């Protein structure tokens, strides 16, 4: 591979930094913003449509990415983030619903393509380090954006904020043109491998673990911002929500490097423990100090898991099946988010934390059995099941 790995990862991460500076910042305000305007359902339903569309399109994104390449995938998809943010100005159900669906389709290309690119330009011995670097730098965007929103949200109208933050994804769109192109040379029957990936028992067990962690993330973006607003006030939504990006920014690179040295399994065990404790504190989060501790613990979980998922995906996949393993990886994450958002609408309150604890317990059992012999054994099984 002739690429200067760090240079390409830096360009990719900076592009994502600007996209998330715009979108992730506004996303954390979506439910609380529309709640303030008497449109609580619109905020939840917009997020559900984004992630539902993301989920369904991720099933087939591998086919498009293998055809047009990961670079073109992130370029084409990034512009839709600006369009979605601008659509919020209208407060119109049809327009926001439509832009949410389009954003979900674009997100499947952006994240699948971005992860694919990251893995392909990375040395296999540095998957953790490079994915940690990518996670840290890209998380700086929403961290800065949420802090900024927390300070200026009371001083400027929502329309002004939407216009301002729609500019940032467009900057990311321009940055992606600097990436070197990667062509996927292997000629394969894409539909055949896609079908086999759906039938792979090993892959289904693996992605059920990702489902668990992103089920918790669904509560993070859906219910926790409203809880922060109720306990601390709307001006603290951006400030406290920024911890979900500040802590990964500060620690994901280090944690990714650690996982290269000590193995992924130990870091996963820590992520399960932190998730469990965070949810327990959130369950009793009517006390402000417990809410703060719960947010910090789940933010730490996010810092651990973000570099681990791409690293594991790279380790267990082959040149031939990477796009398809990655596709189902992202699909499972979005199913977790959508499930959590929907359940948050049905059972408003602490019930979602109890359900999350049950999901964690089941997932931990699957994890211990699957990772008993390490990622090399998983890769061997996947290479036989998806070929």
């Amino acid at each position: 591979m002739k690429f200067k790995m760090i240079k390409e990862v830096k360009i990719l991460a900076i592009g994502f930094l600007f996209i998330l500076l715009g979108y992730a910042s506004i996303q954390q305000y979506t439910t609380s913003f529309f709640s303030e305007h008497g449109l609580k359902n619109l905020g939840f339903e917009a997020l559900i449509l984004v992630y539902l569309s993301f989920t369904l399109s991720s099933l087939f994104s591998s086919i498009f990415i293998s055809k047009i390449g990961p670079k073109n995938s992130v370029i084409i998809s990034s512009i839709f983030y600006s369009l979605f943010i601008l659509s919020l100005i209208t407060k119109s159900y049809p327009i926001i619903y439509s832009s949410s669906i389009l954003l979900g389709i674009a997100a499947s290309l952006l994240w699948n393509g971005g992860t694919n690119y990251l893995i392909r330009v990375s040395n296999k011995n540095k998957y953790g380090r490079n994915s940690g670097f990518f996670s840290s730098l890209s998380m700086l965007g929403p961290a800065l954006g949420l802090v900024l929103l927390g300070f200026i949200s009371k001083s400027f109208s929502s329309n002004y904020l939407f216009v301002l933050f729609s500019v940032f994804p467009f900057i990311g769109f321009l940055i992606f043109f600097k990436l070197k192109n990667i062509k996927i040379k292997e000629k394969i029957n894409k539909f055949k491998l896609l079908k086999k990936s759906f039938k792979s028992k090993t892959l289904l067990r693996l992605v059920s673990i990702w489902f668990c962690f992103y089920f918790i993330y669904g509560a993070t973006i859906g219910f926790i911002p409203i809880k922060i607003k109720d306990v601390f006030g709307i001006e603290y939504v951006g400030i406290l929500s920024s911890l979900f990006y500040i802590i990964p920014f500060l620690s994901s690179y280090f944690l990714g490097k650690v996982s290269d040295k000590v193995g992924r399994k130990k870091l996963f065990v820590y992520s399960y423990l932190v998730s469990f404790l965070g949810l327990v504190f959130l369950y009793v989060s009517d006390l402000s100090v417990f809410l703060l501790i719960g947010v910090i613990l789940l933010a730490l979980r996010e810092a651990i898991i973000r570099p681990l998922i791409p690293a594991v995906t790279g380790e267990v996949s082959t040149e031939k099946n990477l796009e398809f393993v990655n596709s189902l990886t992202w699909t499972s994450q979005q199913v977790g988010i959508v499930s959590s958002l929907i359940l948050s609408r049905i059972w408003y309150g602490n019930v979602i934390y109890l359900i999350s604890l049950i999901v964690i317990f089941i997932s931990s059992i699957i994890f211990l059995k699957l990772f008993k012999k390490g990622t090399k054994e998983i890769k061997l099984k996947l290479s036989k099941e998806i070929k």
Side-chain angles (χ1 to χ4, degrees):
M1 187 76 68
K2 296 181 179 179
F3 296 132
K4 294 180 180 179
M5 304 302 183
I6 293 299
K7 177 184 175 182
E8 299 306 310
V9 173
K10 281 182 179 179
I11 295 172
L12 184 70
I14 292 171
F16 271 79
L17 183 155
F18 278 100
I19 289 174
L20 295 177
L21 172 57
Y23 172 71
S25 307
I26 294 298
Q27 175 187 253
Q28 290 291 348
Y29 265 85
T30 301
T31 52
S32 56
F33 165 76
F34 284 114
S35 178
E36 285 283 299
H37 290 78
L39 300 168
K40 183 193 297 184
N41 288 345
L42 181 56
F44 267 109
E45 289 162 4
L47 288 177
I48 290 171
L49 282 174
V50 169
Y51 288 102
L52 182 59
S53 176
F54 192 164
T55 302
L56 296 175
S57 52
S58 286
L59 292 171
F60 307 100
S61 62
S62 56
I63 295 174
F64 294 99
I65 293 169
S66 60
K67 188 161 187 169
I68 67 176
K71 175 185 175 178
N72 291 331
S73 297
V74 296
I75 289 174
I76 293 169
S77 58
S78 56
I79 198 67
F80 286 91
Y81 283 78
S82 292
L83 296 176
F84 172 78
I85 296 171
L86 289 174
S87 75
L88 300 178
I89 295 173
T90 66
K91 300 184 184 68
S92 164
Y93 278 81
I95 293 175
I96 293 176
Y97 284 169
S98 299
S99 66
S100 297
I101 293 170
L102 290 173
L103 178 62
I105 297 171
S108 71
L109 293 176
L110 180 78
W111 287 101
N112 278 281
T115 307
N116 187 297
Y117 192 95
L118 176 66
I119 292 170
R120 288 188 177 276
V121 299
S122 295
N123 185 295
K124 63 181 180 179
N125 296 321
K126 302 295 183 182
Y127 282 145
R129 184 196 67 176
N130 285 356
S131 60
F133 177 86
F134 171 79
S135 177
S136 289
L137 193 57
S138 60
M139 288 299 98
L140 177 60
L144 293 174
L146 282 166
V147 171
L148 177 62
L149 266 177
F151 283 109
I152 68 174
S153 59
K154 290 288 188 179
S155 303
F156 296 94
S157 69
S158 58
N159 287 354
Y160 175 87
L161 295 175
F162 291 148
V163 171
L164 172 63
F165 278 78
S166 71
V167 174
F168 298 124
F170 184 74
I171 296 174
F173 163 77
L174 297 176
I175 289 172
F176 285 144
F177 281 97
K178 294 183 175 291
L179 290 170
K180 291 184 179 181
N181 200 22
I182 299 176
K183 292 185 178 180
I184 302 171
K185 298 179 181 179
E186 184 127 13
K187 294 183 178 180
I188 54 177
N189 187 325
K190 301 179 181 65
F191 288 99
K192 181 181 178 182
L193 286 186
L194 181 63
K195 184 178 180 180
K196 285 189 173 183
S197 68
F198 292 149
K199 294 181 177 181
S200 169
K201 293 181 180 179
T202 303
L203 183 56
L204 291 175
R205 291 190 187 102
L206 178 63
V207 299
S208 70
I209 298 171
W210 313 148
F211 168 88
C212 159
F213 287 114
Y214 278 83
F215 184 91
I216 299 171
Y217 182 73
T220 300
I221 62 175
F223 181 66
I224 292 178
I226 292 177
K227 188 70 175 180
I228 293 172
K229 178 178 73 71
D230 293 341
V231 174
F232 291 102
I234 192 169
E235 63 272 19
Y236 285 92
V237 172
I239 296 172
L240 291 182
S241 294
S242 68
L243 292 175
F244 287 102
Y245 304 103
I246 291 174
I247 291 178
F249 163 65
L250 293 174
S251 57
S252 282
Y253 178 57
F254 167 75
L255 292 169
K257 289 180 67 176
V258 169
S259 75
D260 283 335
K261 294 179 180 179
V262 305
R264 318 297 177 199
K265 187 174 180 178
K266 288 184 180 179
L267 273 293
F268 273 119
V269 171
Y270 294 142
S271 67
Y272 276 109
L273 292 174
V274 170
S275 298
F276 175 80
L277 291 173
L279 289 167
V280 170
F281 277 105
L282 286 174
Y283 185 75
V284 292
S285 59
D286 287 339
L287 290 175
S288 58
V289 65
F290 288 162
L291 176 58
L292 180 60
I293 294 172
V295 167
I296 291 172
L297 287 172
L298 287 191
L300 179 58
R301 177 209 66 88
E302 193 72 10
I304 298 171
I305 203 68
R306 277 189 176 274
L308 283 182
I309 293 179
V312 170
T313 301
E315 284 186 346
V316 303
S317 60
T318 64
E319 175 74 18
K320 187 176 181 180
N321 64 26
L322 171 59
E323 281 73 32
F324 304 93
V325 173
N326 191 40
S327 175
L328 209 56
T329 293
W330 278 102
T331 300
S332 65
Q333 293 174 33
Q334 307 321 306
V335 171
I337 293 173
V338 171
S339 300
S340 181
L341 288 171
I342 292 174
L343 289 176
S344 295
R345 292 285 297 116
I346 298 172
W347 291 299
Y348 186 84
N350 289 341
V351 177
I352 194 66
Y353 301 135
L354 291 176
I355 296 173
S356 297
L357 287 168
I358 295 171
V359 170
I360 284 179
F361 176 74
I362 296 172
S363 175
S364 64
I365 295 173
I366 297 172
F367 162 76
L368 291 172
K369 289 184 177 180
L370 184 62
F371 278 77
K372 187 176 182 180
K373 294 184 179 180
T375 54
K376 288 184 179 179
E377 181 68 19
I378 298 173
K379 181 175 183 175
L380 179 62
K381 289 181 179 179
L382 288 178
S383 65
K384 292 178 180 179
E385 294 172 3
I386 309 174
K387 65 179 181 178

